[in-house]
């Protein structure tokens, strides 16, 4: 089975940790970011298969 890499972006630390725990229990590799610029920087360095992004982020929303 392939080990998928998931990027989770959320500005609420509790939500970020909860998503990370749930996904890791399903054997996904989870990368996290707390805002849009941090997520973009991470994506320049890492390959991910899917991103789960909060739509309401400070400074840069999830659609941007």
């Amino acid at each position: 089975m392939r080990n998928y890499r998931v990027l989770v972006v959320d500005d609420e630390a509790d939500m970020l940790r909860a998503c990370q725990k749930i996904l890791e229990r399903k054997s996904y590799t989870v990368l996290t970011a707390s805002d849009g610029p941090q997520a973009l920087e991470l994506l320049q360095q890492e390959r991910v298969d899917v991103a789960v992004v909060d739509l309401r982020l400070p400074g840069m929303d999830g659609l941007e």
Side-chain angles (χ1 to χ4, degrees):
M1 184 165 108
R2 182 171 174 203
N3 185 7
Y4 290 100
R5 296 169 59 87
V6 180
L7 171 61
V8 179
V9 185
D10 200 307
D11 59 323
E12 295 180 33
D14 291 339
M15 182 61 75
L16 203 58
R17 280 191 298 275
C19 290
Q20 183 175 9
K21 284 182 181 182
I22 291 166
L23 291 166
E24 286 177 343
R25 276 189 228 136
K26 297 293 183 179
S27 299
Y28 294 106
T29 297
V30 181
L31 305 170
T32 62
S34 59
D35 60 31
Q38 185 182 25
L40 291 175
E41 184 177 322
L42 187 61
L43 286 170
Q44 290 179 357
Q45 302 167 14
E46 301 285 342
R47 179 194 58 79
V48 299
D49 297 295
V50 67
V52 178
V53 183
D54 184 1
L55 290 177
R56 295 183 184 180
L57 293 168
M60 176 186 289
D61 68 38
L63 294 175
E64 289 180 88

